[in-house]
Amino acid sequence: MSKSQHRLELAILRDQFGDSVASVLETLHLGERRVPKIASLSKLPISLVRESLSVLLHHDMVRARTDEVDPGPMTSYRYSIQHERILFRMRIPQILKETAECFGEEAEAIVFNVSLHGRVRLANLIGYVCGGNPGFEEEALWNAIDRLEESQLLVRRQTSRSGLVQELNIVDSDSDEEPYAYTPNGNGKRQRTKHDASAAQKKKSKKTENASYYVVNYNQYFRRMRNNWIVAFIEDQFDENAANIVKAMLNHDILRINKEELGTPLLPDIIASKLDIEAGQVKEYLSLLARNSDGIIVSSNPYFRVNFAIIPNLAKRLFIEKVVTYQYGLSAARLLRMIIEYNHLEQKQVKEIALIGTYKETKSILNRMFRGQILTLREVPRQGTRDPSNCLYLWTCDIAAVSRMLLERAYKTQANLMSRRVAMQDEYSRLELKLGRLPEELEEQADIARANLYKDEMKQLQEKLDQLDAGFEEVELQVAMFRDFDDN
């Protein structure tokens, strides 16, 4: 794991969960640790370390492991980080936006509360949503939960006492149960506490209801975002009808959780039955897509499939071209496309194929991309020796290496943006506090001037915060291209 990713993870936890949780995570970056060791390295009280680990376990950002076959109350656990789960927190705004567009405001509120608490029991989930949104009807919320479950965006996980680490005294934070006090007696067995009787009675009455809890299925959301990107790409390359055809094919496979390279083989008649397009026209579109869609649609007559294996590399290549266009210009993007298409090209061949400017201009653009780590040079000796005068120098672009480099830059940018946002929010709060200290009825000219000054500064800060949020969305898209597409 790189320093940029480490810094970003700490910034995420510090922003969303506080300094104590971030300190515990920083200790776990050194490797698996037990509670006493974490407390010693982080210089936090053991009680605070346990609370922090409880939060991290609740959000599945930390895993507990033991070598014992049958763990008991006195079992000591080792804790390790789930890095991808921490980075998932950056995608929550896009997840909420996708939920609101596809399922409505009720579903958005449900997903927001589940992501906020990590996992929530059904009865408590309705209470959380209704408490924060009094205008929602309970029946509409039940319908939204059903639709989210059908789409596998919200999934149930079975409660397991062994899955909740006993040494932390963890129970669900949204549960009505009282915490168990795991206090061993002289024989090494857990003593029955005063809370057990009431807890057992409540468990009897809520046995079915408390048998499972809801969690957000992030991977399914990433599949939907990937499919949205594919549809947008097809619509940009062809037209709306072609995009709708591909969308229907993707929807047919959206609930599959296996990672096969090819989608389900479909006949044009089946696709046409889902659309307001004739089967003959659908077949013509699919034949055209199979020849000209960069390999997204493959044909095995009379069936057509979506080639999911090619999506990650295609998405990365297009995004790299976008970055090169922004940083080096359209001519550089054209040169890059030629080099990627032919894999290896001499400088003279690049100029002749791309038909851009003079030899000197082409050399200048290639050197700029080389310094920016977009292109690399490969030395090919003509003879047995590696004398520079007897070697060919071929330009090439390693998409995987460039993607890793851009991903590291994205992590660094995200961490910087989060630091700036925290500083600006602190400044905004300070101005609000100053404004609140002024008299309610401003009579003196100096007070009126100060109030106007504070309001103007707060307005400027709010505009800058909006710009930061827009920057976050752009960087999150880049992370999705280079990280999430590979896993889904």
Side-chain angles (χ1 to χ4, degrees):
M1 186 189 61
S2 65
K3 291 182 179 179
S4 300
Q5 182 177 342
H6 178 197
R7 181 167 169 250
L8 176 60
E9 290 178 358
L10 291 177
I12 292 171
L13 292 185
R14 188 170 287 111
D15 179 58
Q16 299 188 14
F17 299 99
D19 293 334
S20 300
V21 175
S23 298
V24 170
L25 182 89
E26 190 169 12
T27 303
L28 291 176
H29 270 106
L30 303 174
E32 286 187 337
R33 293 286 185 272
R34 301 181 191 274
V35 170
K37 188 65 174 178
I38 296 172
S40 174
L41 293 175
S42 62
K43 302 187 185 306
L44 295 174
I46 287 185
S47 59
L48 190 55
V49 170
R50 286 174 173 168
E51 291 176 6
S52 301
L53 286 172
S54 174
V55 171
L56 292 169
L57 283 165
H58 221 69
H59 289 268
D60 200 24
M61 292 185 286
V62 161
R63 289 287 174 87
R65 189 169 67 88
T66 181
D67 297 330
E68 296 185 20
V69 178
D70 187 18
M74 297 299 294
T75 301
S76 180
Y77 290 82
R78 298 189 298 273
Y79 301 93
S80 59
I81 303 174
Q82 298 292 105
H83 297 284
E84 69 280 358
R85 302 293 298 185
I86 299 174
L87 295 175
F88 284 172
R89 304 293 300 180
M90 296 296 296
R91 308 298 308 281
I92 289 178
Q94 288 189 358
I95 287 173
L96 296 177
K97 182 179 179 182
E98 172 76 11
T99 306
E101 291 176 354
C102 299
F103 300 96
E105 294 181 354
E106 293 86 357
E108 180 189 10
I110 290 168
V111 173
F112 170 77
N113 279 277
V114 175
S115 63
L116 179 66
H117 294 88
R119 55 184 178 184
V120 185
R121 296 191 189 279
L122 180 59
N124 295 318
L125 176 58
I126 298 296
Y128 289 151
V129 177
C130 291
N133 304 273
F136 287 163
E137 296 182 1
E138 189 170 338
E139 184 177 355
L141 293 176
W142 285 110
N143 292 334
I145 290 174
D146 290 340
R147 285 185 284 124
L148 289 170
E149 278 198 276
E150 289 174 3
S151 303
Q152 294 185 5
L153 300 175
L154 208 63
V155 294
R156 296 193 186 195
R157 293 285 184 266
Q158 293 297 319
T159 302
S160 173
R161 176 57 59 184
S162 61
L164 303 177
V165 182
Q166 297 173 355
E167 67 171 326
L168 301 180
N169 294 339
I170 296 176
V171 295
D172 295 322
S173 64
D174 53 335
S175 172
D176 291 331
E177 298 181 29
E178 292 289 341
Y180 281 104
Y182 285 95
T183 309
N185 60 17
N187 298 324
K189 298 181 180 179
R190 182 176 67 86
Q191 293 178 348
R192 188 173 181 85
T193 69
K194 62 180 180 180
H195 302 295
D196 288 359
S198 60
Q201 185 65 30
K202 291 177 181 178
K203 287 175 68 177
K204 287 181 181 179
S205 61
K206 296 188 175 183
K207 183 176 179 180
T208 304
E209 182 181 309
N210 287 342
S212 61
Y213 53 85
Y214 282 108
V215 296
V216 177
N217 187 356
Y218 291 103
N219 289 329
Q220 187 67 14
Y221 269 106
F222 297 156
R223 293 188 191 99
R224 295 180 69 91
M225 293 176 185
R226 175 203 61 189
N227 292 351
N228 291 342
W229 180 87
I230 296 173
V231 172
F233 171 76
I234 295 296
E235 186 172 3
D236 182 63
Q237 297 290 318
F238 297 92
D239 59 15
E240 187 177 354
N241 286 337
N244 290 333
I245 291 171
V246 173
K247 185 176 182 179
M249 297 176 71
L250 293 170
N251 288 339
H252 193 275
D253 289 323
I254 198 168
L255 296 182
R256 296 197 318 170
I257 60 175
N258 55 338
K259 297 183 178 180
E260 294 183 8
E261 293 185 352
L262 296 175
T264 305
L266 297 172
L267 289 169
D269 295 341
I270 297 176
I271 301 172
S273 65
K274 302 178 182 179
L275 303 169
D276 191 17
I277 305 176
E278 295 181 358
Q281 190 176 2
V282 170
K283 186 175 182 180
E284 292 178 3
Y285 268 109
L286 289 172
S287 300
L288 180 64
L289 288 167
R291 295 192 301 268
N292 301 288
S293 64
D294 289 309
I296 291 180
I297 303 298
V298 294
S299 172
S300 54
N301 286 329
Y303 297 97
F304 294 88
R305 287 178 161 189
V306 178
N307 184 8
F308 291 106
I310 202 174
I311 302 303
N313 197 59
L314 176 62
K316 291 175 182 179
R317 177 172 67 82
L318 294 177
F319 203 88
I320 291 171
E321 291 179 10
K322 182 179 178 181
V323 171
V324 169
T325 302
Y326 178 77
Q327 292 186 349
Y328 305 101
L330 291 171
S331 299
R334 179 171 175 80
L335 293 177
L336 179 67
R337 281 195 293 272
M338 295 299 103
I339 292 172
I340 291 177
E341 182 176 352
Y342 291 94
N343 199 11
H344 294 89
L345 286 176
E346 283 189 277
Q347 188 166 301
K348 184 179 180 181
Q349 293 174 321
V350 174
K351 189 263 176 187
E352 292 175 352
I353 295 174
L355 300 174
I356 294 176
T358 63
Y359 180 84
K360 185 176 181 180
E361 292 173 351
T362 303
K363 181 179 179 180
S364 175
I365 295 173
L366 292 174
N367 287 336
R368 287 170 58 203
M369 288 194 287
F370 178 75
R371 288 193 297 269
Q373 302 179 12
I374 302 296
L375 297 180
T376 55
L377 270 176
R378 177 166 294 181
E379 184 183 68
V380 181
R382 294 176 178 175
Q383 300 176 358
T385 62
R386 286 190 175 272
D387 185 4
S389 61
N390 292 323
C391 290
L392 291 175
Y393 292 92
L394 305 179
W395 292 99
T396 185
C397 177
D398 186 345
I399 293 179
V402 176
S403 299
R404 287 193 296 270
M405 182 264 294
L406 293 177
L407 182 60
E408 289 301 315
R409 289 184 184 178
Y411 287 154
K412 187 175 181 180
T413 302
Q414 282 181 316
N416 292 337
L417 288 174
M418 292 186 70
S419 299
R420 286 184 60 189
R421 184 171 63 180
V422 170
M424 292 170 66
Q425 287 174 342
D426 291 342
E427 179 65 16
Y428 192 91
S429 300
R430 186 180 67 84
L431 291 172
E432 276 188 327
L433 185 61
K434 282 186 173 182
L435 188 61
R437 289 174 179 172
L438 294 176
E440 294 183 4
E441 297 182 0
L442 301 176
E443 297 178 356
E444 296 183 7
Q445 192 68 25
D447 291 340
I448 296 175
R450 280 198 296 269
N452 292 334
L453 178 63
Y454 295 155
K455 290 178 181 179
D456 291 341
E457 290 181 2
M458 290 170 64
K459 183 178 179 181
Q460 293 175 6
L461 279 174
Q462 187 60 52
E463 291 175 356
K464 291 180 180 179
L465 284 169
D466 294 339
Q467 293 175 0
L468 280 179
D469 290 338
F472 261 108
E473 292 182 6
E474 184 66 24
V475 178
E476 285 168 9
L477 176 62
Q478 183 173 340
V479 172
M481 293 296 180
F482 295 139
R483 182 183 177 92
D484 298 337
F485 274 37
D486 276 342
D487 299 330
N488 299 284

